[in-house]
PDB file of all heavy atoms in Angstrom:
ATOM      1  N   HIS X 232      42.981-103.172 -20.517  1.00 98.00           N
ATOM      2  CA  HIS X 232      43.324-102.198 -19.488  1.00 98.00           C
ATOM      3  C   HIS X 232      43.456-100.783 -20.057  1.00 98.00           C
ATOM      4  O   HIS X 232      43.946 -99.879 -19.380  1.00 98.00           O
ATOM      5  CB  HIS X 232      44.639-102.585 -18.813  1.00 98.00           C
ATOM      6  CG  HIS X 232      44.521-103.742 -17.862  1.00 98.00           C
ATOM      7  ND1 HIS X 232      43.925-104.925 -18.214  1.00 98.00           N
ATOM      8  CD2 HIS X 232      44.929-103.892 -16.571  1.00 98.00           C
ATOM      9  CE1 HIS X 232      43.970-105.763 -17.186  1.00 98.00           C
ATOM     10  NE2 HIS X 232      44.564-105.149 -16.176  1.00 98.00           N
ATOM     11  N   VAL X 233      43.049-100.608 -21.315  1.00 98.00           N
ATOM     12  CA  VAL X 233      43.092 -99.295 -21.982  1.00 98.00           C
ATOM     13  C   VAL X 233      41.657 -98.842 -22.215  1.00 98.00           C
ATOM     14  O   VAL X 233      40.891 -99.516 -22.905  1.00 98.00           O
ATOM     15  CB  VAL X 233      43.851 -99.369 -23.319  1.00 98.00           C
ATOM     16  CG1 VAL X 233      43.868 -98.005 -24.002  1.00 98.00           C
ATOM     17  CG2 VAL X 233      45.269 -99.885 -23.102  1.00 98.00           C
ATOM     18  N   TYR X 234      41.282 -97.709 -21.628  1.00 98.00           N
ATOM     19  CA  TYR X 234      39.911 -97.220 -21.700  1.00 98.00           C
ATOM     20  C   TYR X 234      39.871 -95.880 -22.416  1.00 98.00           C
ATOM     21  O   TYR X 234      40.668 -94.992 -22.128  1.00 98.00           O
ATOM     22  CB  TYR X 234      39.323 -97.057 -20.296  1.00 98.00           C
ATOM     23  CG  TYR X 234      39.348 -98.315 -19.465  1.00 98.00           C
ATOM     24  CD1 TYR X 234      40.425 -98.573 -18.615  1.00 98.00           C
ATOM     25  CD2 TYR X 234      38.317 -99.245 -19.544  1.00 98.00           C
ATOM     26  CE1 TYR X 234      40.463 -99.737 -17.851  1.00 98.00           C
ATOM     27  CE2 TYR X 234      38.349-100.403 -18.791  1.00 98.00           C
ATOM     28  CZ  TYR X 234      39.420-100.649 -17.939  1.00 98.00           C
ATOM     29  OH  TYR X 234      39.467-101.800 -17.196  1.00 98.00           O
ATOM     30  N   THR X 235      38.914 -95.736 -23.340  1.00 98.00           N
ATOM     31  CA  THR X 235      38.777 -94.501 -24.111  1.00 98.00           C
ATOM     32  C   THR X 235      37.339 -94.031 -24.064  1.00 98.00           C
ATOM     33  O   THR X 235      36.411 -94.848 -24.197  1.00 98.00           O
ATOM     34  CB  THR X 235      39.198 -94.720 -25.577  1.00 98.00           C
ATOM     35  OG1 THR X 235      40.485 -95.342 -25.617  1.00 98.00           O
ATOM     36  CG2 THR X 235      39.253 -93.406 -26.338  1.00 98.00           C
ATOM     37  N   THR X 236      37.125 -92.738 -23.863  1.00 98.00           N
ATOM     38  CA  THR X 236      35.769 -92.203 -23.840  1.00 98.00           C
ATOM     39  C   THR X 236      35.117 -92.354 -25.211  1.00 98.00           C
ATOM     40  O   THR X 236      35.794 -92.516 -26.229  1.00 98.00           O
ATOM     41  CB  THR X 236      35.776 -90.720 -23.430  1.00 98.00           C
ATOM     42  OG1 THR X 236      36.647 -89.995 -24.308  1.00 98.00           O
ATOM     43  CG2 THR X 236      36.261 -90.564 -21.992  1.00 98.00           C
ATOM     44  N   THR X 241      39.569 -88.693 -24.508  1.00 98.00           N
ATOM     45  CA  THR X 241      40.287 -89.004 -23.274  1.00 98.00           C
ATOM     46  C   THR X 241      40.562 -90.496 -23.219  1.00 98.00           C
ATOM     47  O   THR X 241      39.691 -91.309 -23.571  1.00 98.00           O
ATOM     48  CB  THR X 241      39.473 -88.579 -22.037  1.00 98.00           C
ATOM     49  OG1 THR X 241      39.189 -87.178 -22.111  1.00 98.00           O
ATOM     50  CG2 THR X 241      40.227 -88.869 -20.751  1.00 98.00           C
ATOM     51  N   ARG X 242      41.760 -90.827 -22.768  1.00 98.00           N
ATOM     52  CA  ARG X 242      42.146 -92.244 -22.661  1.00 98.00           C
ATOM     53  C   ARG X 242      42.795 -92.474 -21.303  1.00 98.00           C
ATOM     54  O   ARG X 242      43.546 -91.613 -20.805  1.00 98.00           O
ATOM     55  CB  ARG X 242      43.097 -92.637 -23.788  1.00 98.00           C
ATOM     56  CG  ARG X 242      43.668 -94.050 -23.664  1.00 98.00           C
ATOM     57  CD  ARG X 242      44.278 -94.528 -24.974  1.00 98.00           C
ATOM     58  NE  ARG X 242      43.225 -94.834 -25.947  1.00 98.00           N
ATOM     59  CZ  ARG X 242      43.452 -95.325 -27.176  1.00 98.00           C
ATOM     60  NH1 ARG X 242      44.687 -95.541 -27.575  1.00 98.00           N
ATOM     61  NH2 ARG X 242      42.457 -95.601 -27.990  1.00 98.00           N
ATOM     62  N   SER X 243      42.531 -93.637 -20.710  1.00 98.00           N
ATOM     63  CA  SER X 243      43.117 -94.004 -19.427  1.00 98.00           C
ATOM     64  C   SER X 243      43.839 -95.334 -19.535  1.00 98.00           C
ATOM     65  O   SER X 243      43.446 -96.210 -20.306  1.00 98.00           O
ATOM     66  CB  SER X 243      42.027 -94.106 -18.344  1.00 98.00           C
ATOM     67  OG  SER X 243      41.410 -92.862 -18.122  1.00 98.00           O
ATOM     68  N   LEU X 244      44.917 -95.456 -18.754  1.00 98.00           N
ATOM     69  CA  LEU X 244      45.656 -96.706 -18.638  1.00 98.00           C
ATOM     70  C   LEU X 244      45.486 -97.239 -17.226  1.00 98.00           C
ATOM     71  O   LEU X 244      45.467 -96.462 -16.259  1.00 98.00           O
ATOM     72  CB  LEU X 244      47.146 -96.490 -18.932  1.00 98.00           C
ATOM     73  CG  LEU X 244      47.511 -96.059 -20.354  1.00 98.00           C
ATOM     74  CD1 LEU X 244      49.023 -95.847 -20.469  1.00 98.00           C
ATOM     75  CD2 LEU X 244      47.040 -97.088 -21.376  1.00 98.00           C
ATOM     76  N   LYS X 245      45.406 -98.565 -17.111  1.00 98.00           N
ATOM     77  CA  LYS X 245      45.228 -99.197 -15.804  1.00 98.00           C
ATOM     78  C   LYS X 245      46.361-100.177 -15.536  1.00 98.00           C
ATOM     79  O   LYS X 245      46.810-100.898 -16.427  1.00 98.00           O
ATOM     80  CB  LYS X 245      43.888 -99.933 -15.741  1.00 98.00           C
ATOM     81  CG  LYS X 245      43.600-100.576 -14.377  1.00 98.00           C
ATOM     82  CD  LYS X 245      42.206-101.171 -14.303  1.00 98.00           C
ATOM     83  CE  LYS X 245      42.107-102.511 -15.010  1.00 98.00           C
ATOM     84  NZ  LYS X 245      40.816-103.181 -14.748  1.00 98.00           N
ATOM     85  N   SER X 252      49.640-101.578 -18.955  1.00 98.00           N
ATOM     86  CA  SER X 252      48.976-101.282 -20.222  1.00 98.00           C
ATOM     87  C   SER X 252      49.739-100.199 -20.965  1.00 98.00           C
ATOM     88  O   SER X 252      50.575 -99.500 -20.389  1.00 98.00           O
ATOM     89  CB  SER X 252      47.525-100.843 -19.988  1.00 98.00           C
ATOM     90  OG  SER X 252      47.456 -99.794 -19.041  1.00 98.00           O
ATOM     91  N   PHE X 254      49.859 -97.716 -25.029  1.00 98.00           N
ATOM     92  CA  PHE X 254      49.413 -97.421 -26.391  1.00 98.00           C
ATOM     93  C   PHE X 254      50.522 -96.707 -27.136  1.00 98.00           C
ATOM     94  O   PHE X 254      51.487 -96.214 -26.532  1.00 98.00           O
ATOM     95  CB  PHE X 254      48.108 -96.608 -26.399  1.00 98.00           C
ATOM     96  CG  PHE X 254      48.174 -95.263 -25.726  1.00 98.00           C
ATOM     97  CD1 PHE X 254      48.646 -94.138 -26.401  1.00 98.00           C
ATOM     98  CD2 PHE X 254      47.726 -95.102 -24.415  1.00 98.00           C
ATOM     99  CE1 PHE X 254      48.692 -92.893 -25.784  1.00 98.00           C
ATOM    100  CE2 PHE X 254      47.759 -93.854 -23.789  1.00 98.00           C
ATOM    101  CZ  PHE X 254      48.239 -92.749 -24.476  1.00 98.00           C
ATOM    102  N   ILE X 405      45.372 -95.894 -11.969  1.00 98.00           N
ATOM    103  CA  ILE X 405      44.878 -95.366 -13.244  1.00 98.00           C
ATOM    104  C   ILE X 405      45.465 -93.987 -13.517  1.00 98.00           C
ATOM    105  O   ILE X 405      45.492 -93.116 -12.648  1.00 98.00           O
ATOM    106  CB  ILE X 405      43.337 -95.295 -13.244  1.00 98.00           C
ATOM    107  CG1 ILE X 405      42.754 -96.720 -13.133  1.00 98.00           C
ATOM    108  CG2 ILE X 405      42.826 -94.603 -14.502  1.00 98.00           C
ATOM    109  CD1 ILE X 405      41.246 -96.750 -12.991  1.00 98.00           C
ATOM    110  N   ALA X 406      45.964 -93.794 -14.737  1.00 98.00           N
ATOM    111  CA  ALA X 406      46.438 -92.496 -15.223  1.00 98.00           C
ATOM    112  C   ALA X 406      45.650 -92.137 -16.475  1.00 98.00           C
ATOM    113  O   ALA X 406      45.287 -93.023 -17.257  1.00 98.00           O
ATOM    114  CB  ALA X 406      47.932 -92.535 -15.527  1.00 98.00           C
ATOM    115  N   SER X 407      45.397 -90.854 -16.672  1.00 98.00           N
ATOM    116  CA  SER X 407      44.539 -90.414 -17.772  1.00 98.00           C
ATOM    117  C   SER X 407      45.242 -89.419 -18.683  1.00 98.00           C
ATOM    118  O   SER X 407      46.098 -88.642 -18.237  1.00 98.00           O
ATOM    119  CB  SER X 407      43.254 -89.794 -17.220  1.00 98.00           C
ATOM    120  OG  SER X 407      42.531 -90.726 -16.428  1.00 98.00           O
ATOM    121  N   PHE X 408      44.829 -89.424 -19.954  1.00 98.00           N
ATOM    122  CA  PHE X 408      45.419 -88.585 -20.999  1.00 98.00           C
ATOM    123  C   PHE X 408      44.303 -87.898 -21.777  1.00 98.00           C
ATOM    124  O   PHE X 408      43.238 -88.471 -21.999  1.00 98.00           O
ATOM    125  CB  PHE X 408      46.228 -89.446 -21.984  1.00 98.00           C
ATOM    126  CG  PHE X 408      47.309 -90.281 -21.362  1.00 98.00           C
ATOM    127  CD1 PHE X 408      46.987 -91.460 -20.682  1.00 98.00           C
ATOM    128  CD2 PHE X 408      48.641 -89.918 -21.469  1.00 98.00           C
ATOM    129  CE1 PHE X 408      47.984 -92.236 -20.112  1.00 98.00           C
ATOM    130  CE2 PHE X 408      49.638 -90.692 -20.892  1.00 98.00           C
ATOM    131  CZ  PHE X 408      49.303 -91.857 -20.216  1.00 98.00           C
TER     132      PHE X 408
END
Side-chain angles (χ1 to χ4, degrees):
H232 285 51
V233 179
Y234 303 93
T235 309
T236 55
T241 302
R242 174 164 287 183
S243 296
L244 295 178
K245 182 174 78 171
S252 52
F254 61 84
I405 296 174
S407 300
F408 304 77

